[in-house]
Amino acid sequence: TQTVSQSDAHVTVFEGDSVELRCNYSYGGSIYLSWYIQHHGRGLQFLLKYYSGNPVVQGVNGFEAEFSKSDSSFHLRKASVHWSDSAVYFCAASTNMGYKLTFGTGTSLLVDP
Amino acid sequence: EAAVTQSPRNKVTVTGGNVTLSCRQTNSHNYMYWYRQDTGHGLRLIHYSYGAGNLQIGDVPDGYKATRTTQEDFFLLLELASPSQTSLYFCASSDWDWGSNTLYFGAGTRLSVL
């Protein structure tokens, strides 16, 4: 069974802090990983993805994520958060076929101004 | 930017009612998806399609039918709605390729089954 685990349901930080949102997966074989952001009352929007190559990938608005095969992880990071980064963040994974994404349960990030 | 439009945005029905959720994408994407979002479960895939007339079963298909009438239009049908189907429903589209599948989501339909 393929699974995506986001262990932190809620994370609260202050504006200007760094943040890391964790994602672990359980898949066999090649894997396609991505992160999405959902602002309140909106649909999900793509942030970044990894399939192969450099394990550190850059996304929009200063977000980056690092793939680790040994840890089965794809954690999302930002060096300095802004209040507008408050949202729910979803990690998603699939096999290299890619067309069927499995999402984690999401992490709600609250940035105190 | 990809455009995915869902209608209605909100819907209230009664147990046993008949509901159709609509989704239209205007980006010539091959793949379309229906997800439901529930607290504690994240997004779960109901049905998806890779072209007009095609339908694939997702992870939580029970109680749902879907139909892809054109490349643009994908419908989700609840023929005998139950309270357990109260949820936030998202449609998404993508232009799948090897190693890449970025989904573009609609704004969602909030369904309440009383």
Side-chain angles (χ1 to χ4, degrees):
Chain A
T1 303
Q2 302 163 339
T3 62
V4 178
S5 174
Q6 294 181 248
S7 54
D8 298 317
H10 302 278
V11 172
T12 301
V13 296
F14 290 102
E15 195 168 36
D17 285 351
S18 63
V19 70
E20 179 178 85
L21 305 182
R22 293 180 290 185
C23 174
N24 291 90
Y25 62 87
S26 173
Y27 270 73
S30 298
I31 189 167
Y32 170 82
L33 294 156
S34 52
W35 277 94
Y36 287 77
I37 181 174
Q38 183 183 31
H39 287 105
H40 181 68
R42 308 277 296 275
L44 281 72
Q45 291 179 284
F46 172 78
L47 269 182
L48 48 74
K49 67 181 179 184
Y50 171 83
Y51 179 60
S52 64
N54 190 333
V56 179
V57 292
Q58 305 295 324
V60 298
N61 294 334
F63 285 97
E64 68 173 30
E66 184 168 3
F67 168 74
S68 171
K69 187 173 182 179
S70 60
D71 292 340
S72 298
S73 68
F74 189 55
H75 301 330
L76 181 70
R77 301 188 295 243
K78 187 169 183 178
S80 177
V81 295
H82 186 263
W83 64 266
S84 60
D85 293 324
S86 295
V88 181
Y89 292 79
F90 290 94
C91 181
S94 71
T95 66
N96 59 359
M97 290 300 291
Y99 46 78
K100 183 181 168 185
L101 265 65
T102 297
F103 286 83
T105 52
T107 296
S108 176
L109 175 65
L110 177 62
V111 181
D112 279 335
Chain B
E1 186 175 328
V4 180
T5 304
Q6 294 183 234
S7 62
R9 293 297 310 278
N10 294 280
K11 177 73 177 178
V12 179
T13 190
V14 296
T15 299
N18 194 320
V19 176
T20 298
L21 307 185
S22 302
C23 178
R24 166 166 282 202
Q25 56 97 2
T26 58
N27 296 282
S28 302
H29 285 168
N30 292 323
Y31 281 82
M32 295 187 73
Y33 308 80
W34 279 107
Y35 284 89
R36 60 177 290 174
Q37 182 178 17
D38 304 285
T39 303
H41 292 279
L43 276 77
R44 292 180 289 175
L45 181 64
I46 304 170
H47 291 298
Y48 63 104
S49 164
Y50 57 73
N54 176 263
L55 181 65
Q56 302 294 314
I57 294 173
D59 298 321
V60 289
D62 291 347
Y64 301 96
K65 292 183 179 180
T67 180
R68 180 91 176 266
T69 55
T70 65
Q71 186 176 33
E72 294 77 20
D73 297 303
F74 195 31
F75 300 93
L76 186 67
L77 295 79
L78 292 73
E79 294 183 332
L80 287 172
S82 73
S84 65
Q85 295 176 307
T86 293
S87 187
L88 181 58
Y89 291 87
F90 285 103
C91 175
S93 73
S94 73
D95 195 10
W96 175 86
D97 195 0
W98 286 100
S100 178
N101 190 21
T102 298
L103 268 61
Y104 295 86
F105 284 83
T109 295
R110 186 167 295 281
L111 174 66
S112 296
V113 183
L114 305 178

